[in-house]
Amino acid sequence: MELRFSACVLLVLCVTWGVNGGNVLVWYTEGSHWINMKPLLEKLVDGGHRVTVLVPSASLFMNSSEPSRFHYERVESSLSIEVMEKFMEEFLHFSIYEMEHMGYVQMYLRFMELFRINLKFALGNLDGVVKSEEVMMKLKRGNFDVLLADPIMPGSELVADILGIPLVYSVRFTMAHHFERYCGQVPAPPSFVPGAMSKLTDRMDFWERVWNFIFYAVQDVVLNHIYWKTVDSYYSYFLSGTGKPTSACELMGKADIWLIRTYWDFDFPRPLLPNFKYVGGIHCKPAKPLPKDIEEFVQSSGDAGIVIFTLGSFIRNITTEKGNMIASALAQIPQKVLWKYSGQAPETLGPNTKIFNWIPQNDLLGHPKTRAFVTHGGSNGIYEAIYHGVPMVGIPMFADQPHNLIHMKAKGVAVMLNLNSLTAEDFRDAINTVINDKSYKENAMRLSSIHHDKPLSPLDEGVFWIEFAIRNNGAKHLRVQAHELTWYQYHCLDVFAFLLALILTIVFIFIKACSFCLRKCCGRKTKTKSE
Amino acid sequence: MELRFSACVLLVLCVTWGVNGGNVLVWYTEGSHWINMKPLLEKLVDGGHRVTVLVPSASLFMNSSEPSRFHYERVESSLSIEVMEKFMEEFLHFSIYEMEHMGYVQMYLRFMELFRINLKFALGNLDGVVKSEEVMMKLKRGNFDVLLADPIMPGSELVADILGIPLVYSVRFTMAHHFERYCGQVPAPPSFVPGAMSKLTDRMDFWERVWNFIFYAVQDVVLNHIYWKTVDSYYSYFLSGTGKPTSACELMGKADIWLIRTYWDFDFPRPLLPNFKYVGGIHCKPAKPLPKDIEEFVQSSGDAGIVIFTLGSFIRNITTEKGNMIASALAQIPQKVLWKYSGQAPETLGPNTKIFNWIPQNDLLGHPKTRAFVTHGGSNGIYEAIYHGVPMVGIPMFADQPHNLIHMKAKGVAVMLNLNSLTAEDFRDAINTVINDKSYKENAMRLSSIHHDKPLSPLDEGVFWIEFAIRNNGAKHLRVQAHELTWYQYHCLDVFAFLLALILTIVFIFIKACSFCLRKCCGRKTKTKSE
């Protein structure tokens, strides 16, 4: 009886699996990229799919030993965790403290140096997959239906190609949209599409357009020189002799779907392609009730409401001087302040400010008493603020944070400050401005409405297209023919050259014919005259 | 008691209206454009919206006196129905019979002549709206929330601007995508986006790309010369002195949403913009049971199944010779044939063929016994065939029919024939091919799957974005900044010119400096030597 029951359960499971269950392979990634990947994977598991995540042994953010609904596949990296940690610290130090005091050229050279090291490390992780016979055998036997990857880590396109399975990217952006433009073939006229990280908006004057144009060009040259040269030569080892393209960019262009983790609530509208799906705010969700002690503190703010203040998880301490300046500014506002901070409490801390080691950020942002969000400008926090319609004061630190906050400033929901030159008065005034100038709240509510007023939630849309790729073995019908053209064919330069040559030939023949006729006539006349 | 009940009902209605009810104004259109507009309007009425449709007195296809759930607003056109009918006949005669025997230049000149007359008539209809104080007063008092229009008929953008309400377009395409490119700012590189009506696919060799490039250019010149010149001068009368743009194209560019009545099951993938929504197949629906006599005839076909044959509603009669040829071809296939035809039954009609004055086309296409669809290639019929996954034999007549069938041929679901040079053998073979060569059915099923495997049905998506425009007073957040740029700014030609001038200046200064130094050195040397 029990045996029959078990068989029945197995049968039901098998049938369910047959209907819903796909076999999803997930490429490793790091930091906020991993945070953004997780909700998709959770939803895929909810939908009955099996999710296998590759995790390099030297990963800083992915923890393959924590209990999870995903199946983790450990990959032996040729690097150690210690080396990775040291590099991360070096990168943060450069981004937050050194950059400010460097000349542009010096800064760029140092950045390129760090970029090279990062790429070397990334290929060290990749060694653990493609150079390991054991891992590759497991992947080949895994019968995966789709590979889901953030292209920030190279290698996924190579493995998808070797396994012969569809590839779905999840991308926030790449520098100057380089991958999206070059490999995804998405059009991005520099006249109104500001390069990612250029610190420009879509409303550019002449000089900004010149800068944007140069920014695109410089990124393209640098990435060609550093990134593609290295990655192409790495890939060619595996693909030479197969007759397949050994250009990594060409392989990336075979991706079936690009899930772009932004939307027109955050980004500026721009041209897209049928296989580019904008799913910004994939991790956003409604607020849950607050823990009792936090709720009590929040309620004690009365009509003035609260301000949430966090500089992200990378900044654990600031100088005593900065700490005091910040605390004294916060002490001057009528709101209660919840400050997420792991350092020692500053002396000037006001009675309205409470320091927390950890805060339930999303639940606080969704609380009706929340008046403003003071943030370092990480994209996940900003998206939560958009979701709940909260105005922001931004103090960007590094990476994409200035880029993100410039978007929010342009959309009228944030005031931007600089931590290095910040004064208590400026800080206090900025918070008062976004709370008291009604336009900030109105704009925040408008963005929130844009975010919510969509046929599908970002998460549902992302999952839909991954499942589509599983159901249909990719999404070839969404792929533009531009992928098959060279750059001069794409821009019709060969057609231009031909038409120009044709016109010049016709003009030349016409002139020659005219001059011939003229000579004939004049010659005859001269002859007649001389007769 | 009854009074209280009525008051209650009224209250409920008012509340419902407040939640769902928008006030939608619909611009007049003609032919298949009107057929495509209707399902959207029906769905809007289902959703509790009030729909008011403008109908010119000289409309050939819109019947304001038939019972309907829409409110029709009659507009007195300065034309008569007779004049319109005569013009339509003239146009059909040119398209079906004359074109074939004309040289290219002669054909184009005749087409332009007809185009000019058509535009004159369109402006005659527009007179009935904008020059009528009564109509304009009604529209202003109508408190409309959105104007829905097919831009094939000019005027909607002018009236939306005067009324100050959002504008949603429903467009199949315009010649060479001229309106979409120029006014909607959608990118369309001629290297892989074949101009609409160019008879090209997205896989073009060099000569086809040259032709596509020229096709775009010629259409742009012709439309600038004929269309914009006339429409701009018409609009400027109403807008001069208001400080508003008097360019009709600029006004069109203010449209909030462009519902494009195609999708990647029918069209070739191409770049789009956030406010371009692809809703092809908006009228498609599941098949209903057939009338008893037709079902009996269909069932009598056995395993061989049936073929559906229609050349559309414009072709009522063909020559006796052609009729006999067609009938004899149909008599040679094993399938039963349902032929929609209003002419006299040909002598060679086989026992397997039955002529019908009218057929329930969609219900037949969705019937499991249907093996093939012989069609003139109207977009609505083709979309129904895609929806139900039926292979096609196409005999295009005029307008967009060759364009549509070239798409279906490229996607491997249709064989294309030419009515003028058609033989019975070719016709019979074509039907046999699409039925017996399995690839046609497989491709048809693949297109059907692409059509159905979407997060939202085309109709739901169309209605969603119209309601979005109502809820949010437009959709400004989807509008690219490209609209604010001149053509040379858009293509960065000013930036190019500046950078080129800069580089040339630097080179010039460098050469001058070098030559100066050289002269200095050489001069001194010469001097030294001479000393």
Side-chain angles (χ1 to χ4, degrees):
Chain A
M1 175 71 180
E2 231 177 25
L3 191 73
R4 274 177 61 194
F5 179 68
S6 302
C8 256
V9 169
L10 197 68
L11 187 70
V12 168
L13 277 176
C14 284
V15 170
T16 315
W17 188 258
V19 176
N20 297 316
N23 204 356
V24 183
L25 179 63
V26 182
W27 201 250
Y28 51 84
T29 185
E30 284 288 12
S32 63
H33 299 264
W34 175 231
I35 293 174
N36 270 298
M37 194 67 98
K38 270 183 168 175
L40 266 178
L41 308 188
E42 292 286 354
K43 185 93 179 172
L44 284 169
V45 173
D46 289 344
H49 302 282
R50 180 180 158 85
V51 171
T52 303
V53 187
L54 295 176
V55 182
S57 54
S59 175
L60 293 180
F61 290 86
M62 301 175 84
N63 186 356
S64 62
S65 58
E66 75 183 5
S68 163
R69 300 197 295 160
F70 322 138
H71 171 70
Y72 285 110
E73 187 66 51
R74 194 177 150 94
V75 169
E76 286 309 320
S77 172
S78 55
L79 307 159
S80 70
I81 283 258
E82 291 71 34
V83 169
M84 291 296 286
E85 274 175 346
K86 196 163 163 268
F87 174 69
M88 180 54 91
E89 251 171 54
E90 202 177 341
F91 180 71
L92 284 178
H93 198 261
F94 160 73
S95 304
I96 303 172
Y97 305 107
E98 290 173 21
M99 244 167 84
E100 191 81 14
H101 312 290
M102 279 176 167
Y104 198 77
V105 174
Q106 195 192 3
M107 185 193 81
Y108 214 83
L109 289 175
R110 175 77 176 126
F111 177 77
M112 293 219 286
E113 191 190 335
L114 291 169
F115 186 69
R116 262 184 231 270
I117 299 172
N118 186 48
L119 181 56
K120 204 181 97 189
F121 288 175
L123 295 181
N125 282 336
L126 184 54
D127 282 346
V129 184
V130 289
K131 291 189 177 168
S132 157
E133 273 191 33
E134 189 197 333
V135 173
M136 285 310 287
M137 190 58 77
K138 270 191 188 171
L139 295 185
K140 281 175 189 167
R141 285 187 185 156
N143 286 322
F144 293 104
D145 297 312
V146 69
L147 198 161
L148 178 62
D150 188 322
I152 202 100
M153 292 283 176
S156 59
E157 49 283 348
L158 176 64
V159 171
D161 191 76
I162 293 173
L163 299 181
I165 56 175
L167 174 61
V168 175
Y169 280 138
S170 167
V171 196
R172 173 70 207 294
F173 62 68
T174 59
M175 279 286 274
H177 307 296
H178 179 87
F179 284 7
E180 300 92 304
R181 287 184 295 122
Y182 265 56
C183 317
Q185 295 290 346
V186 76
S191 49
F192 69 98
V193 181
M197 305 287 275
S198 67
K199 301 190 183 173
L200 294 166
T201 73
D202 61 344
R203 285 160 206 253
M204 291 178 266
D205 63 21
F206 176 74
W207 297 111
E208 287 170 328
R209 280 187 284 116
V210 169
W211 164 237
N212 197 36
F213 188 89
I214 294 172
F215 183 76
Y216 272 123
V218 169
Q219 298 304 329
D220 292 349
V221 170
V222 167
L223 281 162
N224 266 323
H225 184 65
I226 302 183
Y227 190 84
W228 295 119
K229 232 166 117 181
T230 314
V231 179
D232 279 359
S233 87
Y234 188 101
Y235 281 22
S236 64
Y237 171 81
F238 296 92
L239 297 171
S240 61
T242 61
K244 285 178 183 172
T246 51
S247 142
C249 195
E250 233 177 299
L251 272 191
M252 285 188 72
K254 293 187 170 188
D256 295 275
I257 303 280
W258 294 62
L259 300 176
I260 309 286
R261 298 196 302 268
T262 185
Y263 185 63
W264 321 117
D265 44 5
F266 193 129
D267 224 319
F268 306 115
R270 47 169 294 174
L272 51 140
L273 291 177
N275 63 338
F276 275 61
K277 308 292 174 186
Y278 287 74
V279 295
I282 224 162
H283 65 291
C284 293
K285 52 190 172 198
K288 292 195 302 285
L290 296 170
K292 208 179 155 211
D293 58 327
I294 297 184
E295 179 65 37
E296 273 170 20
F297 181 68
V298 169
Q299 287 303 338
S300 73
S301 68
D303 286 343
I306 60 160
V307 168
I308 307 159
F309 178 25
T310 164
L311 294 182
S313 37
F314 282 116
I315 308 299
R316 295 208 175 85
N317 291 297
I318 40 177
T319 60
T320 316
E321 189 196 357
K322 278 263 180 298
N324 278 323
M325 181 274 291
I326 286 172
S328 74
L330 295 175
Q332 296 173 48
I333 62 169
Q335 286 77 23
K336 292 273 167 108
V337 182
L338 294 96
W339 183 1
K340 187 197 163 207
Y341 183 55
S342 312
Q344 217 187 335
E347 287 169 14
T348 56
L349 199 73
N352 67 333
T353 308
K354 206 165 170 178
I355 288 177
F356 293 83
N357 234 323
W358 170 87
I359 52 166
Q361 185 174 293
N362 184 56
D363 306 331
L364 279 167
L365 284 167
H367 199 284
K369 286 230 182 279
T370 300
R371 300 289 175 265
F373 179 38
V374 184
T375 170
H376 59 300
S379 65
N380 287 339
I382 287 190
Y383 244 121
E384 285 169 358
I386 290 175
Y387 183 92
H388 296 294
V390 178
M392 290 166 251
V393 172
I395 310 176
M397 301 276 148
F398 69 103
D400 62 340
Q401 295 162 7
H403 165 96
N404 301 337
L405 285 167
I406 281 162
H407 280 60
M408 290 303 101
K409 192 180 160 194
K411 287 177 188 281
V413 295
V415 167
M416 244 176 111
L417 300 170
N418 182 329
L419 184 63
N420 291 312
S421 59
L422 191 63
T423 66
E425 290 69 34
D426 289 346
F427 191 30
R428 179 201 59 203
D429 292 349
I431 300 176
N432 282 333
T433 301
V434 301
I435 294 175
N436 299 330
D437 179 342
K438 293 228 174 325
S439 72
Y440 287 90
K441 180 67 186 175
E442 281 164 14
N443 288 330
M445 290 310 291
R446 188 175 50 81
L447 291 196
S448 179
S449 151
I450 289 171
H451 181 87
H452 291 279
D453 202 351
K454 280 183 289 190
L456 235 67
S457 80
L459 188 55
D460 285 338
E461 187 161 3
V463 168
F464 178 87
W465 289 108
I466 295 168
E467 290 183 337
F468 184 95
I470 296 175
R471 276 194 298 271
N472 300 281
N473 191 28
K476 300 285 170 289
H477 71 291
L478 301 179
R479 184 185 153 89
V480 288
Q481 272 295 312
H483 288 282
E484 314 307 325
L485 300 174
T486 63
W487 64 271
Y488 59 85
Q489 286 174 331
Y490 181 99
H491 294 289
C492 289
L493 298 187
D494 53 345
V495 172
F496 263 122
F498 168 75
L499 291 177
L500 192 68
L502 189 73
I503 291 166
L504 289 179
T505 309
I506 291 169
V507 170
F508 178 77
I509 292 172
F510 180 75
I511 291 172
K512 277 284 165 191
C514 286
S515 81
F516 176 78
C517 289
L518 268 175
R519 246 184 301 140
K520 273 275 173 190
C521 297
C522 296
R524 196 173 288 169
K525 271 186 190 164
T526 320
K527 218 176 166 188
T528 319
K529 268 184 190 173
S530 68
E531 273 172 0
Chain B
M1 176 72 179
E2 231 178 23
L3 193 68
R4 276 175 63 194
F5 179 67
S6 301
C8 257
V9 168
L10 198 67
L11 187 68
V12 169
L13 276 178
C14 284
V15 171
T16 315
W17 188 257
V19 176
N20 297 318
N23 204 356
V24 183
L25 179 62
V26 182
W27 201 249
Y28 50 85
T29 185
E30 283 289 12
S32 64
H33 300 263
W34 175 230
I35 293 173
N36 270 298
M37 194 68 98
K38 269 181 168 176
L40 267 178
L41 307 188
E42 292 285 353
K43 185 95 179 170
L44 284 168
V45 172
D46 289 344
H49 302 282
R50 181 180 157 84
V51 171
T52 303
V53 187
L54 295 176
V55 182
S57 54
S59 174
L60 293 180
F61 290 85
M62 302 174 84
N63 187 356
S64 62
S65 57
E66 73 183 8
S68 163
R69 300 198 295 160
F70 321 139
H71 172 71
Y72 286 109
E73 187 66 51
R74 195 178 150 94
V75 169
E76 287 307 321
S77 172
S78 55
L79 308 157
S80 70
I81 283 257
E82 292 70 34
V83 169
M84 291 296 285
E85 274 175 345
K86 198 165 161 266
F87 173 70
M88 180 55 89
E89 250 171 55
E90 203 176 341
F91 180 72
L92 284 179
H93 198 259
F94 161 73
S95 305
I96 303 170
Y97 305 107
E98 290 173 20
M99 244 168 85
E100 191 80 12
H101 312 288
M102 280 175 167
Y104 198 78
V105 175
Q106 193 193 4
M107 185 192 79
Y108 214 85
L109 290 174
R110 175 75 176 129
F111 177 77
M112 293 220 285
E113 191 190 335
L114 291 168
F115 187 70
R116 264 184 229 270
I117 299 172
N118 185 48
L119 180 57
K120 204 181 94 188
F121 288 174
L123 295 181
N125 282 336
L126 184 54
D127 283 345
V129 184
V130 289
K131 292 190 178 168
S132 157
E133 273 189 33
E134 189 196 332
V135 174
M136 285 310 288
M137 190 59 76
K138 271 189 189 174
L139 296 186
K140 281 175 189 166
R141 285 186 185 157
N143 286 322
F144 293 104
D145 296 311
V146 68
L147 199 161
L148 176 63
D150 187 322
I152 202 98
M153 291 283 177
S156 59
E157 49 283 347
L158 176 64
V159 170
D161 191 77
I162 292 173
L163 299 181
I165 57 174
L167 173 62
V168 175
Y169 280 137
S170 167
V171 196
R172 173 69 207 293
F173 62 68
T174 59
M175 279 285 274
H177 307 294
H178 179 87
F179 285 8
E180 299 92 304
R181 287 184 295 120
Y182 266 58
C183 317
Q185 295 290 347
V186 76
S191 49
F192 69 98
V193 181
M197 304 288 275
S198 66
K199 301 190 183 173
L200 294 166
T201 73
D202 60 345
R203 285 160 206 253
M204 291 178 265
D205 62 22
F206 175 74
W207 296 110
E208 286 169 330
R209 281 187 283 117
V210 169
W211 165 237
N212 197 36
F213 187 90
I214 294 172
F215 183 76
Y216 272 123
V218 168
Q219 297 304 328
D220 293 350
V221 169
V222 167
L223 280 162
N224 266 323
H225 184 65
I226 301 184
Y227 190 84
W228 296 119
K229 232 166 115 181
T230 313
V231 179
D232 279 0
S233 86
Y234 189 100
Y235 281 22
S236 63
Y237 171 81
F238 296 92
L239 297 171
S240 60
T242 59
K244 286 179 182 171
T246 50
S247 141
C249 195
E250 233 178 301
L251 272 191
M252 284 188 72
K254 292 189 170 187
D256 295 276
I257 304 280
W258 294 62
L259 301 175
I260 309 286
R261 298 194 303 268
T262 184
Y263 186 64
W264 320 119
D265 45 5
F266 193 130
D267 225 319
F268 306 115
R270 48 169 294 173
L272 51 142
L273 290 177
N275 63 340
F276 275 61
K277 308 292 173 186
Y278 287 75
V279 295
I282 225 162
H283 66 291
C284 293
K285 52 190 173 198
K288 292 194 302 286
L290 296 171
K292 209 180 154 209
D293 58 328
I294 297 184
E295 179 65 37
E296 274 171 17
F297 181 69
V298 168
Q299 286 303 337
S300 72
S301 67
D303 287 342
I306 60 161
V307 168
I308 307 160
F309 178 24
T310 163
L311 294 182
S313 37
F314 282 118
I315 308 299
R316 295 205 177 86
N317 290 298
I318 40 180
T319 60
T320 316
E321 190 195 358
K322 279 263 182 293
N324 278 324
M325 182 272 293
I326 286 172
S328 74
L330 295 174
Q332 295 173 49
I333 62 169
Q335 285 75 24
K336 291 272 167 109
V337 182
L338 293 95
W339 182 1
K340 186 197 164 207
Y341 182 55
S342 312
Q344 215 188 338
E347 286 167 17
T348 56
L349 199 73
N352 67 332
T353 308
K354 206 164 169 179
I355 288 176
F356 293 83
N357 234 322
W358 170 88
I359 52 167
Q361 186 174 290
N362 184 55
D363 306 329
L364 279 167
L365 283 167
H367 199 284
K369 286 226 181 281
T370 300
R371 300 289 175 267
F373 179 40
V374 183
T375 170
H376 59 301
S379 66
N380 287 339
I382 286 190
Y383 244 122
E384 285 168 358
I386 290 176
Y387 183 93
H388 296 295
V390 179
M392 292 165 249
V393 172
I395 309 174
M397 301 276 147
F398 70 104
D400 61 341
Q401 295 161 8
H403 165 96
N404 301 337
L405 285 167
I406 282 163
H407 280 59
M408 291 303 103
K409 192 181 158 192
K411 288 177 189 279
V413 295
V415 167
M416 245 177 109
L417 300 170
N418 182 328
L419 184 64
N420 291 313
S421 59
L422 190 64
T423 65
E425 291 69 34
D426 289 346
F427 190 32
R428 177 201 61 202
D429 293 349
I431 299 175
N432 283 332
T433 301
V434 301
I435 293 175
N436 299 329
D437 180 342
K438 294 233 174 321
S439 72
Y440 287 90
K441 180 67 186 175
E442 280 164 16
N443 288 329
M445 290 310 290
R446 187 175 50 79
L447 292 196
S448 179
S449 152
I450 290 171
H451 181 87
H452 290 280
D453 202 350
K454 280 182 290 189
L456 235 68
S457 80
L459 188 55
D460 285 339
E461 185 160 4
V463 168
F464 177 88
W465 288 109
I466 296 168
E467 289 183 337
F468 184 95
I470 295 174
R471 277 195 297 272
N472 300 281
N473 192 27
K476 301 286 171 286
H477 70 291
L478 300 179
R479 185 185 151 91
V480 288
Q481 272 296 312
H483 287 283
E484 313 308 324
L485 300 173
T486 63
W487 64 271
Y488 59 85
Q489 286 173 332
Y490 181 99
H491 294 289
C492 288
L493 298 187
D494 52 347
V495 173
F496 263 121
F498 168 76
L499 291 177
L500 192 68
L502 189 72
I503 291 167
L504 289 180
T505 309
I506 291 169
V507 170
F508 178 76
I509 291 171
F510 180 75
I511 291 172
K512 277 284 165 192
C514 285
S515 81
F516 177 76
C517 290
L518 268 176
R519 247 185 297 141
K520 273 275 171 190
C521 298
C522 297
R524 196 173 288 167
K525 269 186 192 162
T526 320
K527 216 176 168 184
T528 318
K529 267 183 189 171
S530 67
E531 271 169 0

